[in-house]
Amino acid sequence: MKFVYIALCLLPACASAAIVPTVMVGAHANQDGNCDDITDVDDCEADFSALEGDIGTLGIDSQYSKFDEFRYVSDLQIAVHDVENGRTPMITWYPHKVDLTCASYYDIAHQVYDSLLEDQAQALHDVGGPVLIRFAPAMDTDIHECAYSLEAQGDPEAEGAEFVAAWQHIVDKIHETAPNALFIWSPNTHSFAANNGDPVTTWQYYYPGAAYVDWIGSQVYNQGTTKLSIADNLSFQGWYDQASTMGKPLIFSETGAIGPDPQYPPCSNSTSAVPSPQSKWLYSIRANFSDTYPAMKAFVWFDVAAQNNIHCNNYTIRGDGADQFRSLLTRTYFQKKTP
């Protein structure tokens, strides 16, 4: 008679060993307001290091760049430092230039900026690891300079065609030299769903095609003092329902919620409620990503203080929000470092 022995491990360590790091967690750290763009190397790195010292190790370092702000000769110092330290750099790349004029989608597609793109591709190549590129976020709205306004233009089909041509040309030019550049297409959630969750398909005019997109993202915030979970955002739900069927990893390319008082600067609608909206928002991400939103593979926190008194939008991580972030980062599921 043969006996078969089955080894069982009932220790907590055995259970955690089966969990694979799946979600990349990152931040744009700008607590003091001095990390405005990719050229502020010392300020940006100091803010990011301080944040990691407070909440734990992050997988993505998010920075911002104007269209012509980085070149091969100027070096992507922050991105190189990130790769050397095991992180993934992420660059939000706007179509407005240093002189605040626009690099129009038409001109991009018609090779006006090819020399610049070739130079920038070399800089991206020399980073030495994957770089996430979020070009022209919310291109379907008038939120940012040089992005089309559906209200002003009124023809998303024509606008989308110009954007798609520019996007495809940029990807082709960059990938000639820098195949390590991974492109995040990040429209507004409202091109997928209305506030009540009803589906919208405006995004289809702006989609460059699966061959030109590596990640699909959007910007999802809780801007008020109400304690919400991500499941309460019906526009996000509609975005997820459609985007998760497109065969790409999904990312909150920006997210945030307000933390507990005190607010800096003070907001007229601030709240001392515990838990804070920040804590509730982060808890809902920790609790729901793996089971309810498995296509979500990354989120990037906008760790920036409020600049106005309208939304009380001080997203700096603090108080019970910091506690919740630390708890999230102890889970293996949220410890992926590279795409």
Side-chain angles (χ1 to χ4, degrees):
M1 178 180 295
K2 295 182 178 179
F3 295 92
V4 178
Y5 293 91
I6 301 175
L8 297 176
C9 179
L10 302 179
L11 296 175
C14 297
S16 63
I19 300 174
V20 177
T22 301
V23 171
M24 302 170 65
V25 180
H28 172 63
N30 188 17
Q31 305 94 328
D32 56 12
N34 293 323
C35 176
D36 289 330
D37 53 54
I38 206 165
T39 61
D40 298 325
V41 177
D42 292 339
D43 290 320
C44 292
E45 291 194 341
D47 284 350
F48 194 85
S49 295
L51 179 61
E52 280 197 312
D54 184 24
I55 64 171
T57 303
L58 296 166
I60 297 174
D61 180 8
S62 171
Q63 303 296 341
Y64 292 78
S65 175
K66 300 178 182 67
F67 188 72
D68 55 347
E69 198 161 24
F70 72 90
R71 297 170 181 267
Y72 174 64
V73 293
S74 62
D75 195 11
L76 291 172
Q77 296 179 47
I78 299 176
V80 171
H81 184 261
D82 287 331
V83 170
E84 289 174 348
N85 287 274
R87 293 185 294 268
T88 298
M90 172 176 155
I91 301 171
T92 294
W93 193 10
Y94 290 116
H96 60 275
K97 297 184 288 185
V98 171
D99 64 5
L100 301 184
T101 61
C102 296
S104 73
Y105 298 141
Y106 180 89
D107 284 348
I108 292 170
H110 287 79
Q111 306 177 25
V112 172
Y113 296 101
D114 275 11
S115 177
L116 173 64
L117 292 174
E118 290 165 3
D119 188 63
Q120 290 168 317
Q122 188 63 55
L124 290 166
H125 170 273
D126 288 358
V127 167
V131 183
L132 295 171
I133 302 290
R134 182 173 68 135
F135 177 68
M139 77 299 294
D140 50 328
T141 73
D142 60 352
I143 293 175
H144 301 296
E145 298 98 328
C146 306
Y148 285 122
S149 164
L150 298 184
E151 295 79 13
Q153 302 295 328
D155 188 356
E157 185 173 3
E159 295 163 2
E162 283 198 8
F163 169 78
V164 166
W167 178 286
Q168 291 179 344
H169 186 69
I170 285 176
V171 172
D172 284 339
K173 291 300 294 182
I174 296 297
H175 279 172
E176 286 176 3
T177 303
N180 57 311
L182 304 175
F183 283 82
I184 302 171
W185 178 67
S186 191
N188 195 285
T189 59
H190 290 99
S191 283
F192 288 79
N195 283 331
N196 65 1
D198 288 346
V200 177
T201 58
T202 309
W203 64 268
Q204 295 179 359
Y205 296 121
Y206 298 88
Y207 187 53
Y212 288 89
V213 171
D214 298 294
W215 288 68
I216 295 175
S218 198
Q219 303 69 236
V220 183
Y221 286 84
N222 174 17
Q223 290 187 315
T225 59
T226 303
K227 291 177 284 187
L228 302 174
S229 74
I230 56 172
D232 295 321
N233 188 314
L234 299 182
S235 181
F236 158 67
Q237 294 290 318
W239 170 81
Y240 183 86
D241 288 345
Q242 294 189 63
S244 61
T245 68
M246 297 170 68
K248 304 292 180 180
L250 305 185
I251 177 174
F252 281 170
S253 33
E254 285 182 17
T255 192
I258 68 167
D261 286 345
Q263 299 284 334
Y264 299 104
C267 287
S268 60
N269 63 341
S270 64
T271 177
S272 58
V274 177
S276 70
Q278 189 173 101
S279 177
K280 180 67 177 290
W281 192 252
L282 281 163
Y283 173 81
S284 71
I285 290 174
R286 177 167 65 90
N288 291 293
F289 262 34
S290 60
D291 295 330
T292 309
Y293 308 114
M296 297 299 305
K297 302 301 182 185
F299 76 88
V300 177
W301 194 268
F302 194 63
D303 189 46
V304 177
Q307 300 299 316
N308 58 59
N309 192 36
I310 299 174
H311 293 298
C312 200
N313 53 353
N314 186 336
Y315 306 126
T316 53
I317 299 164
R318 60 193 187 277
D320 61 356
D323 293 338
Q324 196 63 246
F325 223 127
R326 294 184 199 104
S327 178
L328 181 145
L329 289 174
T330 63
R331 290 192 57 191
T332 304
Y333 190 77
F334 291 95
Q335 294 176 3
K336 196 172 189 335
K337 296 297 185 294
T338 56

